[in-house]
Amino acid sequence: MITNAILFIIFLVVTTITSPLRLLNDVALDSEFAISIATASTYLSAINTFLPMTTLLTVLGFFITFETLFFTYKLLMWVIKKIPTIN
Amino acid sequence: MAVAFLSLFLIPYIANGQIFSQTSTSSGGIILHDPISNVGFSINAFFDLPAGTTGFVESFDFFAGSNSLGNTGIQFLIFEFPDPDFLTATATDIGFYTENAIDNSCQYISQGAIPQQYNVGFSKDRFSIGGLEATSSVFLRSDRFYRIEMSDCQASFFNGTTPPELFGSGGTSTLNCWLGDDPNGTLNTCANAGLGFPFMVINEFSGNTGVTEIVQPTAGTTTATTTVNVIVDLFNSGSADVLTLFVDDRVTNQQVIIDPFDFAISGGFVTVDVDIELPTGSYTLRAVTFNTVTGSQFGNVLRVDFNVINNEFLEVFGVDITDVDDLITLATTTCSFTNITGCFQNALVFAFVPAESSFDRFITLKDQLINKPPFGYFALLANGLSGLNSTSSPAFTLATEDNITNAIFTPLKTGLSFILFVFFGVWLYKRVIAIQL
C-alpha cells in the first residue's frame, strides 16, 4: 500500500513532466541510416577473417554502455541539484 | 421384508462356468446387515424401468460397498431373482438407505458423480453384475456402506415374500420408487438409515496391490527447494502395509538414504503425501508397496526423475522474493489467534509489497515515450547501431589459402582480441578511478 502510493506519486510526477513530450509525433529514423549500418556490417564481416572485428565491436559496446550510464548519472545529478534547497 | 429379501440370495448361482458358494462370516461371503452395529453392506443401484412393462433389463447403474471385511473389496455381486412371474406386484415398501460406518451419515459411492453403467442383456429373471470386475476403479471400500439410490421410481416390487423382478422394454425408462411405506413419500432421506438389507458377496476383490501413480514430483521437474513434496497414489487390497520410497542420485548412481522411507498405508485407494529433505542434485524416486511382515513386494516399482535446486529465498520466506509475481503471494498466511505472526506478515506484505500494476504503469509510460523526441533519437540510434555486426554476409572476400589463414591470421586474430581486451581493461580502470561523483 505504502509502496504502491509512493510509486503512484512518482508515476504522476513523471507523467506530468513528460506529458508535453507525449503530444509530439514519433521520431523516425532515415532509412539510409539502416542501410549504411548494414553496408558497414558487410565490410566488417569481410575484414573479420583477419582482424578481430567481433571483439572490437564488443569492446566498443562496453565502452558506449559505460559512458552512457555515467552520462545519465551526471545528467540526473545535475537535474537534482537544480531543485531548490538541494546542494 | 429384509429377511425375506435375504432369502433370495441363498441360492447358489452359476455364472460364467463358476459356482459361487456362500458363507455367512464377517470376513467375506454373505454379510447380513445389522442395523444396530452397522455391519454389512448394501448396494447402490439406479434402475431405469417402467412399471408394468415386460422385457429384460437392458442396463442399470450399479455401485456396491462393504463394511467390516478387512481390507478386501467385492468383485462379484449377483442378484438372483428366480421368479419370473412378477408382473403384477404392487408392493410399495422399498427401503434403500445409506449408512456410513464411521459417522452414520448418508453417502454413497459413485465413480465421481456419474454412476457406472453396466449393460446386462441377460434374461429377465437372472442377471449378474460380472461387469464389476471390468471396472476396477469402482472399488468398494471396506469402511463404509453404500446407498441404494433410486429416484423417481415407481415400484412394482415384491410384497415381502416374492422376489422382485426387474424388467424393461429394452430401452431405458424411468422406474419410480420411494422410501418407506408411503408410496408418495420422500426420496432418499437418511431418516430411515439402518434399515438397509443385505446382499451376497461372492468373491473377494483380489487384484492388484501396488503403486498406481507418482503424482509428485512430476518427471523432469525442478523443485526450487530442498524439501521435496512427494505424492503417490496406490491401491492396497490389504496385502501390503507400507509404501516404500527409494531415492537414487542420478549423478553418482548411489542410493540416497531418506528417513523415514516406509510410510504406513491403509486399505483401498490411498494417497500418500509426504515431504522428504534432499540436497541439491538430480534424483530418481522409486515407489513400491511392501508387506513388512512377509517382506513381499506388491505391484510394479514406479519411478520418476526430478531435480532439486536450492532457493534460499524460498526456504526462508516461503516465496521467491526476487520474483514479483511470487512476492505477491506472501500475503497468504493464515491470521488467527494461534498464528499472530501470520497477521503481522500479512500486514507488512499489504503495506509494503507493491502490486504488479504499479510497475506495469511505468512500462507503459516507457513504451509511450521511447519513440518521442528527444528519447526517440537516442533509442533509434541505439537500435540502429545494435544492428552493426561482423557476422553478416561479407561485401567482398579476400582470397587466401586455408593453411595461411589457420597458421597466421587465426592466431594473429586471437592475439589481437586478447590485446584489445587488455587495453579495454586498462582504460576502464583509469576511467573509473578518475570519476568524480
Side-chain angles (χ1 to χ4, degrees):
Chain A
M1 183 178 72
I2 296 175
T3 312
N4 275 344
I6 294 173
L7 288 175
F8 184 68
I9 291 171
I10 296 173
F11 173 75
L12 281 180
V13 170
V14 173
T15 304
T16 305
I17 294 173
T18 59
S19 57
L21 299 178
R22 285 185 283 126
L23 298 175
L24 300 174
N25 293 326
D26 288 353
V27 173
L29 199 63
D30 192 352
S31 59
E32 294 297 328
F33 180 76
I35 294 172
S36 66
I37 294 294
T39 305
S41 298
T42 60
Y43 283 102
L44 288 175
S45 298
I47 304 172
N48 191 46
T49 309
F50 309 101
L51 297 176
M53 302 310 297
T54 306
T55 305
L56 186 66
L57 290 174
T58 304
V59 171
L60 187 65
F62 286 149
F63 167 76
I64 292 175
T65 303
F66 177 82
E67 290 295 338
T68 303
L69 290 175
F70 184 63
F71 172 75
T72 306
Y73 165 77
K74 297 283 271 187
L75 183 64
L76 283 174
M77 290 305 295
W78 179 82
V79 171
I80 290 172
K81 284 177 184 172
K82 290 300 178 185
I83 298 173
T85 72
I86 293 180
N87 296 324
Chain B
M1 181 193 76
V3 174
F5 207 79
L6 169 63
S7 65
L8 299 175
F9 304 101
L10 296 178
I11 302 171
Y13 176 73
I14 301 176
N16 299 327
Q18 294 176 300
I19 299 177
F20 301 98
S21 60
Q22 57 193 21
T23 61
S24 58
T25 64
S26 60
S27 61
I30 298 177
I31 301 297
L32 301 181
H33 175 246
D34 183 350
I36 305 300
S37 64
N38 289 328
V39 172
F41 54 92
S42 58
I43 285 181
N44 188 350
F46 285 100
F47 301 93
D48 288 328
L49 296 165
T53 59
T54 60
F56 60 88
V57 176
E58 185 181 53
S59 65
F60 61 94
D61 299 321
F62 170 78
F63 315 95
S66 69
N67 186 44
S68 300
L69 296 178
N71 289 324
T72 61
I74 303 173
Q75 188 175 35
F76 290 103
L77 204 59
I78 296 181
F79 293 94
E80 181 80 25
F81 303 109
D83 186 349
D85 301 320
F86 193 72
L87 303 178
T88 59
T90 58
T92 59
D93 184 6
I94 303 173
F96 301 100
Y97 307 98
T98 296
E99 292 170 71
N100 184 303
I102 299 174
D103 58 10
N104 289 329
S105 62
C106 286
Q107 57 181 281
Y108 64 93
I109 190 175
S110 65
Q111 196 167 349
I114 303 173
Q116 182 62 40
Q117 192 165 32
Y118 298 88
N119 291 321
V120 180
F122 292 95
S123 60
K124 61 182 179 180
D125 63 346
R126 177 174 295 180
F127 57 93
S128 67
I129 314 174
L132 182 61
E133 66 173 333
T135 309
S136 60
S137 59
V138 184
F139 173 70
L140 311 173
R141 293 184 57 160
S142 61
D143 60 350
R144 60 185 60 193
F145 285 108
Y146 299 98
R147 177 170 68 185
I148 293 177
E149 181 169 331
M150 301 172 68
S151 58
D152 297 326
C153 54
Q154 293 175 348
S156 295
F157 266 70
F158 59 96
N159 56 12
T161 58
T162 306
E165 180 182 26
L166 299 177
F167 47 84
S169 60
T172 57
S173 52
T174 302
L175 171 70
N176 296 320
C177 72
W178 47 88
L179 299 178
D181 295 328
D182 182 2
N184 298 315
T186 305
L187 294 171
N188 302 327
T189 63
C190 295
N192 294 321
L195 300 180
F197 56 94
F199 293 87
M200 180 165 62
V201 177
I202 303 301
N203 266 352
E204 289 187 358
F205 183 64
S206 60
N208 293 330
T209 297
V211 175
T212 56
E213 183 185 4
I214 298 178
V215 179
Q216 278 188 21
T218 54
T221 57
T222 297
T223 59
T225 172
T226 55
T227 302
V228 180
N229 180 228
V230 176
I231 300 177
V232 177
D233 287 343
L234 60 93
F235 171 73
N236 181 19
S237 66
S239 308
D241 56 0
V242 296
L243 168 71
T244 301
L245 298 180
F246 301 98
V247 178
D248 303 310
D249 190 314
R250 297 179 65 203
V251 176
T252 63
N253 290 324
Q254 300 291 324
Q255 183 176 342
V256 177
I257 304 300
I258 57 174
D259 183 27
F261 54 87
D262 276 342
F263 303 91
I265 56 176
S266 58
F269 288 105
V270 178
T271 297
V272 176
D273 187 342
V274 297
D275 290 332
I276 56 176
E277 296 291 331
L278 290 172
T280 303
S282 184
Y283 301 95
T284 298
L285 174 70
R286 292 180 287 139
V288 68
T289 51
F290 263 99
N291 186 307
T292 55
V293 175
T294 63
S296 302
Q297 170 184 318
F298 292 91
N300 296 325
V301 179
L302 297 194
R303 61 185 64 220
V304 66
D305 297 332
F306 64 99
N307 303 310
V308 175
I309 61 172
N310 188 17
N311 186 320
E312 294 87 357
F313 300 117
L314 205 59
E315 294 276 357
V316 174
F317 299 103
V319 294
D320 185 354
I321 63 174
T322 61
D323 184 345
V324 174
D325 292 333
D326 218 16
L327 204 61
I328 303 299
T329 62
L330 264 180
T332 55
T333 304
T334 303
C335 172
S336 66
F337 285 112
T338 59
N339 187 24
I340 300 296
T341 308
C343 299
F344 285 109
Q345 178 179 326
N346 287 347
L348 289 172
V349 169
F350 173 74
F352 293 104
V353 174
E356 192 176 346
S357 58
S358 300
F359 300 102
D360 290 342
R361 283 196 213 106
F362 287 99
I363 294 173
T364 305
L365 182 63
K366 186 265 292 183
D367 292 336
Q368 291 174 349
L369 293 174
I370 198 70
N371 294 320
K372 303 293 183 185
F375 309 106
Y377 296 118
F378 298 101
L380 289 177
L381 194 64
N383 281 339
L385 287 175
S386 67
L388 187 66
N389 60 78
S390 59
T391 56
S392 59
S393 301
F396 55 87
T397 304
L398 298 174
T400 182
E401 297 290 332
D402 284 343
N403 52 355
I404 297 176
T405 302
N406 295 333
I408 299 175
F409 293 112
T410 300
L412 180 65
K413 192 173 151 185
T414 306
L416 286 174
S417 295
F418 171 75
I419 293 171
L420 265 174
F421 275 116
V422 169
F423 281 170
F424 170 73
V426 172
W427 170 85
L428 186 63
Y429 169 74
K430 288 192 170 185
R431 186 71 180 84
V432 168
I433 62 174
I435 286 178
Q436 293 180 353
L437 296 175

